[in-house]
Each structure stands twice: as structure tokens, then as C-alpha cells.
């Protein structure tokens, strides 16, 4: 302060020209420095963070970039057998630069995703459906032009990527996604699941195959060609959780509700009648780290055994049939069985999952009949079979298997293919037995298509029953594998569920299915119904058929064989209840059936793809071949401003062991996902309890064209030069006239 006073005391009066020129130079220097420095997000050290922030490692040693903040709200509206869900994702840019946020997230594998909406201030921009490559090109062009844009892509039927470009400094962009699905009815209980997190997936390494390819003579085949797109970073739960989620359910069951239960998340329930209730999370919000499940049962002792619903779109009627056949009667003593149990002991099964799997498998082995034969196969990075071939279920063999199962531990990779091939192999001693494969896994793999093709080629007469283990199983793989194997899918998310859910599975395994199932529509009416062909139906399971039919009167008959006796039920078309969204469900079921045909390799892939593309475009659905894209018309990112891309890290699913998945040094052997170990806490104290974790590994970001530190330094230097020039002009006396 004294120095400043001294300068002012000895300086002459400023000339107007000197004041003006000095001010202009200072302002120009400051503006140039600020603009130059703000062209990219500021890289920080953990001690620089002044608010809670998740830091991702950049390519500059010791420097980090703040990840986009993500808040998610889920609204589920259930009306009878149909649920409509709106997922609102709120992306907040906490940096001082422009970013592109990328978020990989799950949805139900049977969901018909038809809406993408981007909110900017008070404006809503609706997404349009396009062929996938065209949608990507539209997004990339808008991104390069500085316009806000969002792109929703399907990586798997239960795995999607949302990309949002040009989120400005301190700005929030809201993206809404909507989809339709049917609720599930099993054993007189209705249920609905909402997946919250993508479990880290094991991606087998590319294979080198010998081939006739000129001089090289070999080719590389990648079983997971999109491995980089399904491998987002994962946050170590020791540090904390990210991505808080709020959830509300509006239930209108269509009948008086008896029991209503949220299996894994406590809910507050507000009843608005015997048929309807509104539910909200008791905790307000939860970390997105395990599936949400809601179950409800009718007040009556039994759920309806048959129902028919209709929606008319542009004069075209679409129907949804739900039929629960009676338990198949056993017309003869049950045939002896050959049962092969497969248990996943990879690293992702560590913690709670392996305990659930061991307990489930031990119960299954104890249920074997003396006339059965069995084997147990475990796999991680390698495959091990308890016996060289299926053996008789004698007390000594069962005891040996039980002891072996109790000692299994989870470690290593998820090389599922050799175990599946071994389980489906015909050892030549089945002697006409009923062959069943029981597959216990979390399904945390990326090579689903390779496994589907293996099941299709090698299954023969074996039936495959999948048991999904853990808080966030890959339901797409589990359910499709069961469909291809003409079996069922059971999920066990908690040790307390093992007895009840394995008991229900045993009932299916030990009872015959309703076979030769067919649906017959009124004479003369054109119809296209899915799935096709119709599957066998096991005890307690419900058959769901979606149809595009011209029928407006008469009866639709669903028939089959109950044991060796015919079974049949008729539903009056005129009495179909009106429901919205059935046309979307029909289109989704058609796409699912076509994808299964493609996995069975009994049709030309290009022909199947043409059909999938046409139905997805016609019904405005996201699919493997179509995406939703929304683009703002007004550019907002200044010319020359750098755009950084940051993938939002995911939580590790509840009950998973981080060390088992990624190794205790933070790296999984096949590196399917990048572990994130950086978290800056509020105003960290370098020596106190709030000091940030020191990070060995993080997310490498691409190098930028220039260094932000140098830009910032250059800007500061220019500002100082401007002020020095201003002081110089203050010392110059104006010449006399």
C-alpha cells in the first residue's frame, strides 16, 4: 500500500491519451489471457479442489480433470401388465472448460426405448430416430460446430451409452429417456426390475486363427469388437459411491393388491385405494450400485391365468396375451436325468456372490435323485470339472461334490466358453436321459454373441437353466441363453432368497413343461405374432405373446400338450382391455426374436438386419442398428475453445470385491474396465482426515493440442505487461503546445 501511495505522489497527471491506451492494453491483455486459458478444462491437483469432486487422471503427470457430475431420477408408471419408465439424467459440468459427457448405463433387456429428450434451460429438444451410423454422423457434426447435442446408442439390449456434447463451464444439461416394458408374472407374483449399474465385464482376448489369407496365413478374430464401448471406469467403493439416484413408482395393478414389497431398497408407500399405490425411496436417494426390484401379489389366492389387451394405432390393432398354463401333469414316472452344474468362480463373483452361488449349488446337488447322473464344472481363467464325465448320484459322489463346492473361491478371469462347451458335450453315456444344464453366474462378460452361437450349435437336446447371481447380473445374457436352451432364468440377489428361488427352480427341473405351444387366431385374420416359435412353458411361468392382428371378433386360442394330454384356453377378442404402448412392445418382441434367429445362424445375417432396421425405424425404437439423436440449432461453444471428453465413472455393484475384480494393485488381468481411485474431498487438508487419496492409477485422457498451464501463464504475463505499460504512460508528461 505504501509503495502504491508513493508512486501516485510522484507521478504527474495522466494524459487522456495515455490513460486510454494503457487501459486498452491492460483490458486486451486480460481478455486475451482469460480467453486463451479457458479454451480447455483446467487441470488440477487433488489439493486444488475446493468442493467435493471426482477427479480423473489426465495425461499430464500429477494433474486431474473433474468428472461430470451425474444425478439420476427414475419415474416408473405401472398400469396393469405394462410399465412406462422415464429416466432423467442431469449432467453438470463442474469445470471451467467445455466438456463432452459420456455415460454407460443399463436398462431392462426387454425395454422398448423410444424417447430421447434434451432440456436446455426452458427448452426441450426431441430426439429423432436414425440409422445408427447416420445418427452418429449427425452428432459428430453438431459437436464439431459447437452445438449442444445428445446421442443414445444401444451397446447390448440391456446396455446403452448416452453422449452429451458441448456442456459449458458450470452448466447443467438434462436428458430424459423413456421406455416401455411388460411386468413379469411368475408363480402368482408380479414383479418389475430396474437395473442401476453395469457390472465390470470380462472381455476375452482376440483370437489368432490360421487361415488362407495370402502370405500372412492367419487372421485375428475379436469376440468383443466393441470392448472399449462397454468398459467405462469403475470407482473403488472404499473411496465412496457416485451417481446418486432417486426413484418413484406409481402402481395401478388393476386388481386389489395383497403383498407389496421392494426387495432390496426400503420404500415409503402411500396407498390411494386397494388397487393403487405411490412408492418413493425411504432414503430419498441411493447410490446406483444394485438392481431395484418391486413385487406384488393379488389379494386373491391366485393371479389371473389369462388376459388379453389391445392398442389401436393408425387403425391397426395390436394385442398382448398373457397366459399361465396349469402345472404339467406327469403321465409317467419322471425320466432319469443327466445334470451338469456350471459355477462361475471368476473375480467378479467375489464377496457376496460366491457365497450365494456355493449355497445354491450345494442345495441343488442335495436334491439329486438316486437315478440321476451329474457333474460339476467350475471356471474362471481356466475350467475344472469335478469328474471326467457325469457320474451316478450316489451318496459318496454327492458328499464329494458338496465338499468340493464348499472350497471354491472366486479369482481370475471369466473364460466362460470352454466351460460351456464341456457342459454341452455328449459323453455318449446319457442312455436316453433328460439332459439339463444349470448355469450359475453373474454373466459379467462381453462376448455374449459368441456364447449364443455356441449354445445354438452344441446344445442338441440339452435344456439350459440360468441362475443369475448377485446385485447386478447381466440379465440379457442370462435370459437369452435360457431362451436358446429352452429353459428358464432365475435371479438370486441375496442369500436370504436362495432357498425360495432355488426351490422354485427345482420344481421346474423336476416337472415336465407344457410343450407344442401354439396360438390360433380367428379364421381368415392376418396375424404376425412374437416370439416365434413359441417356447415351452414351465411350472409357474407365464407365456407373453405380442401380435399385430386384423381380428376384431371371435376367440384367440392358446394350446399345447400338458404331459401327453391336450390343453387349450380361449380369449374373446372383443373383451380385450385397452392399454397404451402395446405396439411398441410388439416391435420390441419382434426385434428380440429376429436377434435370436441371428444367433441360431439359421438365417442370413443381412436379411435379419434389414428386418430389424425397418421395424425399429417404423416404431421409433433404439436397437442395435438404430439410435436416437437430439441437436440444438444454436452453437454455444466459442470458436477455438477445446472440447474435452470424460466418461462418467460407475459404482462397483453392491457385494462385489474390488480387489477380486481388478486385483489388489488396481488392475484386472484383462483390463476390461479402468478402476478409478481418485476422489477429492471438500476443502482437503493435506495432513488431516479429509486429505485426498493418493492415486496410483486413474483414467488416461487424450493429449490436448496445447498445455493449459502454459496458456494460463501466458495470459497472466500479458495482464502484467498491460499494467506495466499503463504505469509507464502515467510517468510521461504531455509536451507543451
Amino acid at each position: 500500500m505504501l509503495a502504491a501511495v508513493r508512486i501516485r505522489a510522484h507521478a504527474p497527471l495522466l494524459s487522456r491519451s495515455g490513460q486510454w491506451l494503457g487501459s486498452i492494453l491492460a483490458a486486451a491483455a486480460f481478455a486475451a489471457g482469460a480467453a486463451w486459458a479457458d479454451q480447455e478444462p483446467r487441470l488440477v491437483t487433488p489439493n486444488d479442489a475446493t468442493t467435493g469432486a471426482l477427479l480423473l487422471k489426465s495425461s499430464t503427470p500429477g494433474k486431474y480433470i473433474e468428472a461430470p457430475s451425474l444425478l439420476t431420477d427414475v419415474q416408473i408408471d405401472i398400469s396393469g401388465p405394462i410399465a412406462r419408465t422415464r429416466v432423467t439424467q442431469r449432467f453438470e459440468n463442474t469445470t471451467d472448460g467445455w466438456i463432452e459427457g459420456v455415460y454407460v448405463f443399463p436398462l431392462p433387456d426387454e425395454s422398448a426405448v423410444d424417447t430421447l429428450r434434451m432440456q436446455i434451460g426452458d427448452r426441450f429438444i426431441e430426439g429423432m430416430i436414425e440409422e445408427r451410423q447416420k445418427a452418429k454422423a449427425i452428432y459428430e457434426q453438431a459437436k464439431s460446430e459447437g452445438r449442444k447435442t445428445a446421442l443414445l446408442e444401444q451397446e447390448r439390449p440391456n446396455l446403452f451409452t448416452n453422449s452429451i456434447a458441448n456442456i459449458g463451464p458450470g452448466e447443467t444439461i438434462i436428458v430424459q429417456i423413456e421406455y416401455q416394458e411388460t411386468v413379469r408374472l411368475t408363480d402368482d407374483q408380479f414383479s418389475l426390475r430396474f437395473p442401476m449399474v453395469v457390472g465390470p465385464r470380462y472381455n476375452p482376448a482376440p483370437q489368432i486363427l490360421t487361415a488362407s489369407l495370402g502370405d500372412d496365413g492367419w487372421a485375428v478374430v475379436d469376440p468383443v469388437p466393441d470392448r472399449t464401448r462397454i468398459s467405462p471406469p469403475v470407482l473403488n467403493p472404499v473411496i465412496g459411491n457416485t451417481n446418486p439416484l432417486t426413484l418413484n413408482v406409481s402402481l395401478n395393478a388393476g386388481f386389489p393388491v395383497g403383498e407389496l414389497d421392494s426387495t432390496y431398497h426400503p420404500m415409503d408407500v402411500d396407498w390411494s385405494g386397494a388397487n393403487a399405490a405411490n412408492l418413493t425411496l425411504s432414503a430419498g436417494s441411493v447410490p446406483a450400485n444394485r438392481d431395484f426390484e418391486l413385487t406384488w401379489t393379488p389379494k386373491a389366492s391366485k393371479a389371473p391365468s389369462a388376459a388379453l389387451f389391445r392398442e389401436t394405432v393408425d387403425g391397426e390393432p395390436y394385442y398382448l396375451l398373457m397366459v399361465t398354463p396349469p402345472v404339467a401333469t406327469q403321465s409317467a414316472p419322471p425320466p432319469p436325468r443327466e445334470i451338469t452344474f456350471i459355477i462361475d468362480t471368476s473375480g467378479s463373483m467375489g464377496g457376496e456372490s460366491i457365497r450365494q452361488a456355493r449355497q445354491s449349488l450345494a442345495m441343488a446337488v442335495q436334491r439329486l435323485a438316486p437315478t440321476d447322473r451329474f457333474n460339476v464344472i467350475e471356471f474362471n481363467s481356466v475350467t475344472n470339472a469335478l469328474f471326467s464325465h457325469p457320474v451316478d448320484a450316489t451318496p459318496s459322489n454327492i458328499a464329494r461334490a458338496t465338499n468340493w463346492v464348499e472350497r471354491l473361491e472366486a479369482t481370475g478371469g471369466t473364460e466362460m466358453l470352454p466351460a460351456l462347451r464341456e457342459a454341452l458335450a455328449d459323453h455318449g453315456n446319457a442312455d436316453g436321459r433328460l439332459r439339463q444344464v444349470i448355469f450359475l453366474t453373474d454373466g459379467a462378460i462381453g462376448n455374449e454373441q459368441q456364447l449364443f452361437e455356441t449354445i445354438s450349435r452344441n446344445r442338441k437336446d440339452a435344456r439350459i437353466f440360468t441362475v443369475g447371481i448377485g446385485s447386478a447380473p447381466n440379465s440379457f445374457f442370462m435370459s437369452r441363453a435360457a431362451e436358446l436352451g429352452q429353459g428358464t432364468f432365475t435371479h438370486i440377489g441375496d442369500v436370504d432368497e436362495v432357498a425360495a428361488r432355488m426351490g422354485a427352480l427345482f420344481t421346474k427341473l423336476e416337472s415336465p413343461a407344457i410343450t407344442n405351444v401354439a396360438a390360433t387366431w380367428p379364421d381368415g385374420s392376418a396375424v404376425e405374432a412374437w416370439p416365434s416359435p413359441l417356447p415351452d412353458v414351465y411350472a409357474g411361468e407365464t407365456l407373453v405373446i405380442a401380435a399385430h392382428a386384423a381380428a376384431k371378433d371371435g376367440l384367440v386360442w392358446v394350446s399345447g400338450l400338458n404331459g401327453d394330454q391336450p390343453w387349450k384356453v380361449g380369449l374373446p377378442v372383443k373383451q380385450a382391455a385397452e392399454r397404451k404402448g402395446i405396439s411398441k412392445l410388439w416391435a420390441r418382441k419382434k426385434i428380440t426374436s429376429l436377434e435370436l434367429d441371428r444367433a441360431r445362424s439359421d438365417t442370413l445375417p443381412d436379411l435379419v438386419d434389414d428386418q430389424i432396421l425397418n421395424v425399429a425405424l417404423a416404431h421409433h425404437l433404439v436397437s442395435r442398428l438404430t439410435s436416437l439423436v437430439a441437436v440444438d440449432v444454436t452453437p454455444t461453444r466459442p470458436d477455438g475453445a477445446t472440447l474435452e471428453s470424460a466418461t462418467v465413472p460407475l459404482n462397483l455393484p453392491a457385494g462385489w470385491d474390488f480387489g477380486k475384480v481388478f486385483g489388489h494393485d488396481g488392475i484386472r488381468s484383462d483390463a476390461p474396465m479402468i478402476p478409478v481411485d481418485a476422489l477429492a474431498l471438500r476443502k482437503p487438508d493435506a495432513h488431516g482426515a479429509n486429505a485426498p487419496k493418493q492415486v496410483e492409477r486413474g483414467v488416461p485422457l487424450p493429449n490436448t493440442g496445447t498445455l493449459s498451464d502454459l496458456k494460463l501463464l501466458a495470459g497472466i504475463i500479458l495482464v502484467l505487461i498491460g499494467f506495466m505499460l499503463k504505469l509507464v504512460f502515467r510517468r510521461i508528461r504531455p509536451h507543451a503546445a
Side-chain angles (χ1 to χ4, degrees):
M1 178 63 75
L2 291 176
V5 171
R6 189 174 298 117
I7 291 173
R8 293 185 64 187
H10 292 282
L13 293 175
L14 287 171
S15 69
R16 293 184 182 274
S17 60
Q19 279 186 329
W20 178 80
L21 182 56
S23 299
I24 289 294
L25 285 171
F30 182 81
W36 201 0
D38 281 348
Q39 286 186 13
E40 59 180 284
R42 182 171 62 96
L43 299 180
V44 299
T45 65
N47 284 333
D48 293 332
T50 57
T51 60
L54 179 65
L55 302 183
L56 306 180
K57 192 173 183 180
S58 75
S59 54
T60 303
K63 295 289 186 177
Y64 300 85
I65 184 174
E66 292 184 20
S69 173
L70 177 69
L71 303 174
T72 303
D73 177 72
V74 181
Q75 174 64 47
I76 304 174
D77 296 316
I78 302 172
S79 177
I82 298 173
R84 179 78 178 177
T85 301
R86 181 178 67 248
V87 180
T88 302
Q89 298 170 349
R90 181 186 179 97
F91 293 85
E92 182 178 348
N93 178 6
T94 57
T95 76
D96 55 4
W98 292 81
I99 65 169
E100 174 191 29
V102 181
Y103 180 46
V104 179
F105 64 100
L107 290 178
D109 58 283
E110 291 285 357
S111 57
V113 183
D114 60 4
T115 299
L116 171 68
R117 188 179 298 112
M118 181 169 61
Q119 181 180 353
I120 305 172
D122 295 331
R123 296 183 296 120
F124 289 88
I125 301 170
E126 294 288 338
M128 53 186 177
I129 195 74
E130 297 286 358
E131 191 170 353
R132 182 165 184 158
Q133 292 181 347
K134 182 179 178 180
K136 182 70 172 178
I138 293 171
Y139 173 82
E140 291 294 338
Q141 181 176 350
K143 182 173 76 171
S144 67
E145 293 171 352
R147 292 185 285 167
K148 288 180 171 55
T149 178
L151 177 67
L152 180 63
E153 299 174 282
Q154 175 185 302
E155 312 301 340
R156 302 288 187 274
N158 66 334
L159 184 60
F160 294 77
T161 298
N162 199 1
S163 304
I164 304 92
N166 294 312
I167 311 176
E171 193 173 28
T172 297
I173 298 296
I174 296 174
V175 176
Q176 289 185 339
I177 298 160
E178 295 185 15
Y179 65 87
Q180 200 96 343
E181 65 178 322
T182 56
V183 303
R184 187 176 182 184
L185 174 58
T186 305
D187 297 319
D188 293 318
Q189 182 183 73
F190 293 86
S191 64
L192 179 138
R193 297 183 68 85
F194 177 79
M196 291 189 186
V197 65
V198 178
R201 298 194 176 194
Y202 180 90
N203 300 315
Q207 303 166 342
I208 299 177
L209 303 178
T210 302
S212 299
L213 295 174
D215 296 334
D216 293 335
W218 49 326
V220 177
V221 177
D222 192 346
V224 194
D226 58 349
R227 62 182 64 232
T228 59
R229 294 187 58 83
I230 63 172
S231 302
V234 179
L235 185 67
N236 190 333
V238 171
I239 297 171
N241 285 302
T242 186
N243 306 338
L245 180 144
T246 58
L247 184 143
N248 181 83
V249 180
S250 176
L251 171 65
N252 185 359
F255 51 76
V257 176
E259 293 185 7
L260 177 63
D261 182 42
S262 172
T263 313
Y264 310 115
H265 298 84
M267 303 284 285
D268 294 333
V269 183
D270 180 17
W271 290 94
S272 54
N275 297 2
N278 191 70
L279 301 93
T280 55
L281 291 169
S282 299
S285 67
V286 296
N289 65 354
R290 73 171 307 143
D291 290 0
F292 167 81
E293 181 184 65
L294 185 70
T295 63
W296 62 101
T297 57
K299 218 164 195 177
S301 58
K302 290 282 187 181
S305 61
L308 181 63
F309 305 90
R310 175 179 54 224
E311 180 189 34
T312 303
V313 178
D314 297 330
E316 296 289 326
Y318 293 84
Y319 294 91
L320 185 72
L321 294 82
M322 300 181 71
V323 178
T324 305
V327 176
T329 56
Q330 195 81 56
S331 55
R337 299 175 298 170
E338 180 183 285
I339 303 179
T340 302
F341 301 99
I342 310 176
I343 182 170
D344 182 350
T345 57
S346 64
S348 65
M349 291 287 289
E352 181 65 20
S353 295
I354 191 64
R355 290 190 287 273
Q356 295 171 19
R358 284 196 301 251
Q359 187 172 335
S360 300
L361 183 51
M363 289 183 63
V365 170
Q366 294 294 332
R367 286 282 293 253
L368 292 171
T371 55
D372 294 333
R373 287 180 183 161
F374 78 104
N375 200 356
V376 183
I377 299 171
E378 64 113 357
F379 70 91
N380 41 61
S381 297
V382 296
T383 295
N384 293 305
L386 175 58
F387 304 108
S388 60
H389 56 81
V391 298
D392 293 334
T394 62
S396 61
N397 284 335
I398 289 176
R400 181 179 172 186
T402 302
N403 292 332
W404 191 71
V405 168
E406 288 176 352
R407 294 194 300 270
L408 293 176
E409 295 292 339
T411 185
T414 315
E415 292 292 343
M416 191 178 290
L417 188 61
L420 189 58
R421 286 174 174 163
E422 174 64 22
L424 296 176
D426 187 352
H427 293 277
N429 62 346
D431 300 332
R433 294 167 180 269
L434 177 63
R435 296 178 63 211
Q436 296 176 334
V437 175
I438 317 302
F439 199 168
L440 298 96
T441 177
D442 57 17
I445 41 86
N447 58 325
E448 293 99 332
Q449 187 63 30
Q450 184 184 39
L451 296 166
F452 295 156
E453 291 170 358
T454 299
I455 292 172
S456 179
R457 287 193 301 266
N458 301 335
R459 184 182 69 85
K460 298 180 182 176
D461 60 347
R463 302 274 179 134
I464 300 175
F465 298 81
T466 56
V467 181
I469 300 293
S471 60
N474 180 358
S475 59
F476 161 59
F477 169 71
M478 311 295 284
S479 59
R480 295 298 186 277
E483 286 182 66
L484 285 167
Q486 290 187 280
T488 64
F489 166 45
T490 301
H491 175 245
I492 296 175
D494 190 271
V495 169
D496 294 338
E497 300 171 0
V498 170
R501 300 201 176 183
M502 287 302 290
L505 175 59
F506 295 147
T507 300
K508 296 177 176 60
L509 293 172
E510 296 163 2
S511 305
I514 301 290
T515 59
N516 293 2
V517 182
T520 306
W521 291 78
D523 292 341
S525 61
V527 63
E528 185 179 0
W530 304 97
S532 178
L534 293 176
D536 295 345
V537 185
Y538 289 85
E541 296 288 322
T542 298
L543 175 67
V544 179
I545 304 172
H548 181 196
K552 295 183 180 179
D553 200 357
L555 293 174
V556 54
W557 292 96
V558 179
S559 60
L561 286 178
N562 183 345
D564 58 1
Q565 299 297 313
W567 162 82
K568 194 175 188 181
V569 63
L571 295 91
V573 173
K574 268 191 175 180
Q575 295 180 18
E578 296 292 334
R579 287 289 188 279
K580 290 183 179 180
I582 293 176
S583 63
K584 303 279 189 183
L585 298 174
W586 173 84
R588 179 72 255 178
K589 281 195 171 291
K590 179 173 181 177
I591 291 172
T592 298
S593 290
L594 291 171
E595 293 284 16
L596 281 170
D597 285 345
R598 201 172 189 274
R600 295 186 184 103
S601 302
D602 54 5
T603 53
L604 294 174
D606 290 345
L607 180 62
V608 173
D609 285 354
D610 286 343
Q611 296 180 67
I612 292 172
L613 179 61
N614 289 336
V615 70
L617 290 174
H619 291 267
H620 208 264
L621 295 182
V622 178
S623 69
R624 178 172 53 85
L625 302 173
T626 53
S627 302
L628 281 166
V629 60
V631 178
D632 193 9
V633 296
T634 306
T636 56
R637 177 164 54 89
D639 292 340
T642 301
L643 181 69
E644 281 281 6
S645 181
T647 301
V648 177
L650 305 182
N651 295 318
L652 192 72
W656 284 36
D657 187 322
F658 190 84
K660 291 284 189 180
V661 177
F662 293 106
H664 293 289
D665 60 351
I667 295 183
R668 186 170 172 173
S669 57
D670 67 315
M673 289 192 176
I674 305 169
V676 177
D677 285 325
L679 183 68
L681 305 176
R682 290 189 178 277
K683 199 62 179 175
D685 175 0
H687 303 289
N690 288 336
K693 304 288 184 181
Q694 293 301 310
V695 182
E696 295 295 328
R697 308 185 186 278
V699 178
L701 295 176
N703 288 312
T704 51
T706 55
L707 296 177
S708 62
D709 289 346
L710 292 179
K711 289 181 178 181
L712 185 59
L713 180 60
I716 293 172
I717 292 172
L718 286 173
V719 171
L720 293 175
I721 291 173
F723 279 110
M724 290 174 65
L725 289 172
K726 186 174 182 179
L727 292 175
V728 169
F729 277 110
R730 288 170 65 94
R731 290 178 177 273
I732 300 175
R733 292 179 179 274
H735 295 286

